[in-house]
Amino acid sequence: MNDMLVSNNMKPSLCPVCGGEQFAETPVLWPELVNAWQLSKRETAYINRQQGFHCKQCLNNLRAMALAAAILREYRFQGTLDQFCEVGGEMVVHEINRAGNLTPFLEKLPAHKLIEYPQFDLLDLKIESESTDLVVHSDTIEHISNPERALSECRRVLREDGRCIFTVPIIIDRMSRCRTGLSPSYHGQFGINADDQLVCTEFGVDMWKFVLGAGFSSCEIFSYEYPAALVLIAKK
Ligand SMILES: [Zn+2]
C-alpha cells in the first residue's frame, strides 16, 4: 500500500478511490441533528469532516475514501480502488445500499451486486449463505432496528474467509445508544425526514460488541483519519 494513500491525522494527498488530488469541504450537519445527537463542538467538527470533506474528482467523501482505503489495505492492493476493481477478477462483492459514490467503481467488478433500499431487508437478505467474498455498506446499519442481527445476516452470506467492511458514524467518547423512546432523529439531508433515514442506533466506542455479538471472529477498527474516518473490518 502506498503510504501516500493512507495518512492518519491529516487529509489525504491522493484520493484512494480515484487518485484525485483536489479536495473540498462542505459542512453537512444542521442544528436540529446536532441537538438530537447531542454533539459537542469537537464531535460536530469531526462528523462534518467525515461526511463533508470530499474528493473533487470522484465526489467521494472522507468516509467513502476511508472505506476504499480499508478494502485496499485488506486485500493488500497497491493502487486506487478504481484500479483494484479493474483487476478484481471473480471476487463476489455485495454492496448493500450505495456506499457513498463508490458504486461506479465497485460495479466494474464482474461479480459485484448492488442491493438497494427498499428492495433489500438487511435482516433477511435474499442471498445464498456462504456465497460472498465481501459485503460492503456505509452508514446503513444505524438505520436498522436490530444492527447486531443485520451484521449476523451479513456474516451468513460470507464465505469462510469473507469479510464485511463497513462504516457507521461513531462518536468515540460515548457508548452506543438505542434511540427508541427518544425524539426521532434523521440523517440524510436537512428537511428530508425519509423513513430510511430514521436513526435507530447511535454508535459509540463499544461498536465492536455488535460485530462480535453477530458471530464474527474478529473486528478490526481501521483508522484512515482519527477520529473522523474509522472503518470496521469484520472477519467471518
Ligand atoms: Zn476521488
Side-chain angles (χ1 to χ4, degrees):
M1 182 85 233
N2 183 343
D3 284 339
M4 295 279 283
L5 297 179
V6 181
S7 49
N8 283 314
N9 300 318
M10 56 181 288
K11 66 184 172 192
S13 51
L14 283 178
C15 170
V17 183
C18 74
E21 296 175 15
Q22 293 200 321
F23 303 91
E25 193 154 3
T26 318
V28 295
L29 295 176
W30 56 94
E32 287 82 354
L33 177 55
V34 171
N35 287 339
W37 207 344
Q38 296 173 298
L39 298 178
S40 69
K41 274 196 174 144
R42 174 174 178 253
E43 290 160 352
T44 303
Y46 71 69
I47 296 293
N48 261 328
R49 185 163 167 80
Q50 171 184 102
Q51 306 291 338
F53 179 87
H54 61 275
C55 167
K56 286 169 86 169
Q57 185 164 282
C58 70
L59 303 181
N60 275 292
N61 63 9
L62 193 64
R63 83 166 138 103
M65 284 188 239
L67 194 53
I71 293 168
L72 296 171
R73 179 172 173 273
E74 197 54 33
Y75 290 94
R76 300 174 191 277
F77 185 82
Q78 302 205 7
T80 61
L81 186 74
D82 189 28
Q83 293 161 339
F84 176 77
C85 294
E86 296 271 3
V87 298
E90 292 308 303
M91 194 167 100
V92 178
V93 179
H94 279 96
E95 179 185 3
I96 300 172
N97 244 355
R98 285 177 187 272
N101 200 31
L102 297 183
T103 312
F105 300 92
L106 291 173
E107 68 189 9
K108 291 182 184 179
L109 291 163
H112 164 265
K113 284 195 192 99
L114 172 66
I115 305 164
E116 280 193 280
Y117 182 90
Q119 299 151 344
F120 81 99
D121 177 358
L122 200 31
L123 299 176
D124 182 20
L125 290 171
K126 303 288 185 244
I127 302 172
E128 201 182 318
S129 297
E130 302 189 10
S131 63
T132 307
D133 298 301
L134 173 64
V135 172
V136 175
H137 46 84
S138 187
D139 288 20
T140 291
I141 63 166
E142 69 270 29
H143 303 292
I144 307 288
S145 57
N146 187 338
E148 189 171 299
R149 209 176 122 214
L151 287 168
S152 125
E153 187 61 0
C154 293
R155 183 182 175 277
R156 178 186 66 77
V157 307
L158 287 173
R159 290 178 174 151
E160 197 179 330
D161 60 349
R163 298 158 173 87
C164 177
I165 303 184
F166 68 101
T167 66
V168 285
I170 298 175
I171 305 300
I172 56 157
D173 292 308
R174 64 167 83 151
M175 303 297 272
S176 300
R177 73 169 176 181
C178 173
R179 279 203 68 90
T180 305
L182 300 172
S183 63
S185 174
Y186 298 89
H187 288 171
Q189 283 174 274
F190 172 63
I192 302 177
N193 293 342
D195 282 348
D196 61 318
Q197 296 290 351
L198 178 69
V199 178
C200 297
T201 312
E202 290 172 347
F203 289 106
V205 68
D206 57 346
M207 175 62 216
W208 59 269
K209 290 203 305 190
F210 295 86
V211 176
L212 301 188
F216 283 98
S217 64
S218 72
C219 173
E220 181 184 355
I221 300 172
F222 168 65
S223 172
Y224 181 63
E225 181 189 293
Y226 182 82
L230 307 178
V231 181
L232 285 298
I233 300 169
K235 287 192 183 154
K236 187 159 185 177

